Amino acid sequence: MHRSTSSTRRACALGTTVALIGLTTGLGVFTSTAAFAADEPTSAVATADTSSTNAPSSATDTTGTDTTAKDASGTGTSAAGTSSSTTTTSDAATAPATTPAPKTTDATGTDATSTPPTSTAKAAQPAATPTAKYQATIVGDPKVGVTLRADAPQLPDYKYEWSTDGGATVSSTANTYPVTPADLGKRITVLITASNGDTATATTDAVTEDVAFATETSYDAPRTIELTAGDTLDEVFGVSKGSGPVTYSIGYADPESVDPETDTPESYLPYDTTFDAATARLSGRVTVASVFDFTVVATNGTSTATEYVEVVVEPAKAVGVMAQTVNTSPTDLFDGEHPFTGWLIEPDGHITTFKFPGDPDQEPTVTDGGQPTVQQGQSLWINGSPVDEFGNDTTRYDDEGNADPVTVTSDHATDQIAFDEDSFSTKVTFPHASTHVLTVAAQSVSVSFPVTVVPTAAPASTVGTVTPTVATAPKGQLAFTGADETAPIAWALGLIAAGAGLAGARSLRRRRAQR
């Protein structure tokens, strides 16, 4: 194996250096020297003195590299790539203007008095990009009506350029951007430029719009719809604005007052109506007079809006009277000790019989048909109210809360008829055994029904004969429920609950006590 001498190795190293300088010069690495002005020496290197006695024997190329052949020891060689001008003599006849000291060389023949090695290493690297890139931030949700704010804390003296997908760029000195309906579905981009030319940019997601109903509502100020029993309801509860697909559902107006185990939001809609979740349409023919409170909830996945709704269904014109009677004093009902029988008489005269065990926790026995029956000398307690064709109570009230009067009459002049102040109902006592016909009237309509009075073993004379009377319920009595505004009667409410499946009974469900 042939070993190279030290002189050969130096020559090879020098040749490699010269080739490197030529390559980097051709690629333009040093054309951006001005970009490093802050890091490089500011003084220029003196050019070679062409009047020197050694000038004819030495020549340099444009990079400042000595192209004259070197001796075997490398004496007089210049530092490749570290100076714009070098000398070719061993006595250093030419030196940089800023360096008065004699030029020396290291072991490889490199000029030790030239730029420090650290500068040589930097010059060999590609030039850095003069503009630094920073991260900008857009604060705020990209939604219609929101004002966005752009931040880039690393950059001084900003100017801003806002733009949208396919839209024009708007230059501004403000770092805020109000999102308008015209931006809906577009992304918003901000370009922030500093006074030194540095930039930062950021882009939002596509702009959306919160769903909202046309009018703001609340539980105390709902959207109110007024109807009369028999009317057709056809109402749309769509939002007035909002982006993307919107879905609808029914909610509770007062969640704290419901029993989630037995109630559903849909159970608070007007009876016989249906809600289309796709179109937010509530439709159907309403027949039950009451007040129905619920909410319509709209969502587009990123926002939710709620509209409070109250549907008020008033009863239609009265067509008859719904009467009810029991064979025990209402003050003794549901005390657990007095079983009793009640009868519900509909406007067409149809009768339904209820047998109560006396315990309000036990269900009554319900029989379709029957006839009120009472022992001779005993009494029945009667109540009633005018109703429309759907069985809704049509009782009217004046400004003072007084209700229409309800009267009870008998075809037997001997029957004792009087208003019972304790139970707010009419008490009828039957001295003589036979079939009696009672009539309950209100608002120029009435209903009549037979009562069977069963004879007792005792002579009927113990009761005595009285002059027939007509009992009129005093003002303030609530005819159908058997109660005034402050004192509901348990027996009437019990009959209504028992006959909830009959016409008119369900009209009291969820009726608001106050509004």
Side-chain angles (χ1 to χ4, degrees), residues 43 228 360 386:
S43 60
T228 299

Side-chain angles (χ1 to χ4, degrees), residues 16 30 34 37 67 116 138 146 166 182 230 287 322 343 440 443 461 463 466 470 473 503:
T16 301
F30 296 112
T67 58
I138 296 179
V146 174
T287 58
M322 182 84 71
W343 295 268
V440 182
Q443 290 184 5
S461 59
V463 177
V466 296
V470 176

Side-chain angles (χ1 to χ4, degrees), residues 324-403:
Q324 50 195 319
T325 179
V326 291
N327 61 1
T328 301
S329 172
T331 58
D332 297 330
L333 300 183
F334 304 113
D335 60 3
E337 299 179 359
H338 296 81
F340 65 94
T341 301
W343 295 268
L344 187 66
I345 300 93
E346 298 180 51
D348 61 359
H350 182 81
I351 298 176
T352 303
T353 303
F354 302 86
K355 290 187 177 295
F356 292 86
D359 184 351
D361 294 331
Q362 297 184 27
E363 295 291 334
T365 299
V366 182
T367 303
D368 184 20
Q371 183 173 307
T373 303
V374 63
Q375 290 287 326
Q376 182 182 358
Q378 299 300 310
S379 304
L380 292 177
W381 283 261
I382 301 170
N383 209 333
S385 65
V387 294
D388 63 12
E389 62 178 303
F390 308 105
N392 298 301
D393 184 353
T394 66
T395 302
R396 298 182 299 245
Y397 299 87
D398 61 22
D399 293 339
E400 297 180 357
N402 297 316

Side-chain angles (χ1 to χ4, degrees), residues 8 17 27 45 106 116 135 138 209 244 257 270 273 354 370 466 504 514:
T8 303
T17 303
L27 294 177
V45 178
D106 57 14
Q135 180 64 44
I138 296 179
E209 184 177 34
S257 66
T273 63
F354 302 86
V466 296
Q514 293 180 343

Side-chain angles (χ1 to χ4, degrees), residues 29 136 169 178-179 215 226 231 267 276 351 373 388 394 408 496:
V29 172
T169 299
V179 185
T215 304
E226 296 182 350
D231 290 348
S267 67
D276 187 342
I351 298 176
T373 303
D388 63 12
T394 66
V408 178
I496 293 170

